[in-house]
Amino acid sequence: QVQPVESGGGLVQPGGSLRLSCAVSRSIFSMNAMGWYRQAPGKERELVARTISGGTTKYTDSVKGRFSISRDNAKNTVYLQMNSLRPDDTGVYFCRTEFPDMTYWGKGTLVTVSS
């Protein structure tokens, strides 16, 4: 399986935190970039954060200062740490990995922020 696999979603109260994981089956050293996207109910999929290997990371304005991307090379895993969660962060979160020859999407993990 070459699709990335997301995990870590769940139900959390407003103000809480979650850490999403994206397990990458190909070596992340050969990855050009990866991104986290989300799709809220009834809305289009949107970019949350995208990092270019060896370069910069960009975050959508609504998550700046609250979300951060990190990676564990030994585990071939990329994380999205989400703090100070708000109800409008609710949605299915997808991992997208970009390699020189192919781009892959995971199937997503559901995050629900609600009291």
Side-chain angles (χ1 to χ4, degrees):
Q1 177 179 333
V2 294
Q3 276 183 305
V5 179
E6 305 94 337
S7 61
L11 174 64
V12 62
Q13 291 187 342
S17 297
L18 280 177
R19 189 178 75 161
L20 305 184
S21 300
C22 172
V24 183
S25 57
R26 292 177 62 174
S27 171
I28 60 175
F29 289 107
S30 61
M31 199 165 58
N32 288 343
M34 74 81 56
W36 285 97
Y37 295 73
R38 68 185 177 193
Q39 187 165 16
K43 295 188 176 181
E44 294 186 354
R45 192 174 299 186
E46 65 172 350
L47 173 67
V48 174
R50 181 172 181 265
T51 184
I52 298 173
S53 297
T56 58
T57 300
K58 293 188 176 181
Y59 300 89
T60 194
D61 287 346
S62 64
V63 309
K64 284 180 181 176
R66 300 188 298 123
F67 291 12
S68 64
I69 287 181
S70 63
R71 57 195 277 173
D72 185 330
N73 293 334
K75 294 183 178 180
N76 236 34
T77 300
V78 182
Y79 302 98
L80 181 68
Q81 178 67 43
M82 306 188 296
N83 300 324
S84 301
L85 283 161
R86 310 185 308 213
D88 61 356
D89 293 317
T90 293
V92 179
Y93 283 70
F94 299 89
C95 173
R96 167 179 153 144
T97 54
E98 302 170 33
F99 292 87
D101 60 332
M102 190 72 72
T103 294
Y104 304 97
W105 285 94
K107 294 183 178 180
T109 185
L110 177 63
V111 172
T112 303
V113 184
S114 175
S115 55

